[in-house]
Amino acid sequence: MAEPIIAKKSPYVLQLEPGDYWWCACGKSANQPFCDGSHKGGEFSPVKFTVTSKVPLALCGCKHSNDKPFCDGSHNSL
């Protein structure tokens, strides 16, 4: 299995409006941390997540989290 591209070795801390979002799992998106379709034809698929309230979220930037799309600190061991 291919490894994702590390977009950033730290989380993207964002305060998003309630709604559905697609997190980039491959690391190729030009619209990090969100999917822009760059994964097409590859092994990765974006991860859909729903925001229910406007609170700060830490989204994984390294693409290695075990709690995708959220940061779990995996970037500290890369």
Side-chain angles (χ1 to χ4, degrees):
M1 183 172 173
E3 289 288 319
I5 294 169
I6 297 171
K8 180 178 171 180
K9 283 192 175 181
S10 60
Y12 292 92
V13 180
L14 305 169
Q15 193 162 341
L16 302 170
E17 295 294 328
D20 293 332
Y21 295 88
W22 291 92
W23 173 80
C24 169
C26 69
K28 295 179 182 179
S29 175
N31 190 30
Q32 291 293 333
F34 304 107
C35 178
D36 69 359
S38 295
H39 65 277
K40 291 185 178 168
E43 296 180 41
F44 297 95
S45 295
V47 175
K48 182 180 181 182
F49 68 102
T50 301
V51 174
T52 57
S53 60
K54 193 173 180 177
V55 296
L57 298 172
L59 300 178
C60 177
C62 74
K63 313 303 177 186
H64 287 79
S65 175
N66 291 312
D67 189 26
K68 293 172 178 67
F70 306 105
C71 177
D72 70 355
S74 292
H75 60 272
N76 291 319
S77 63
L78 297 176

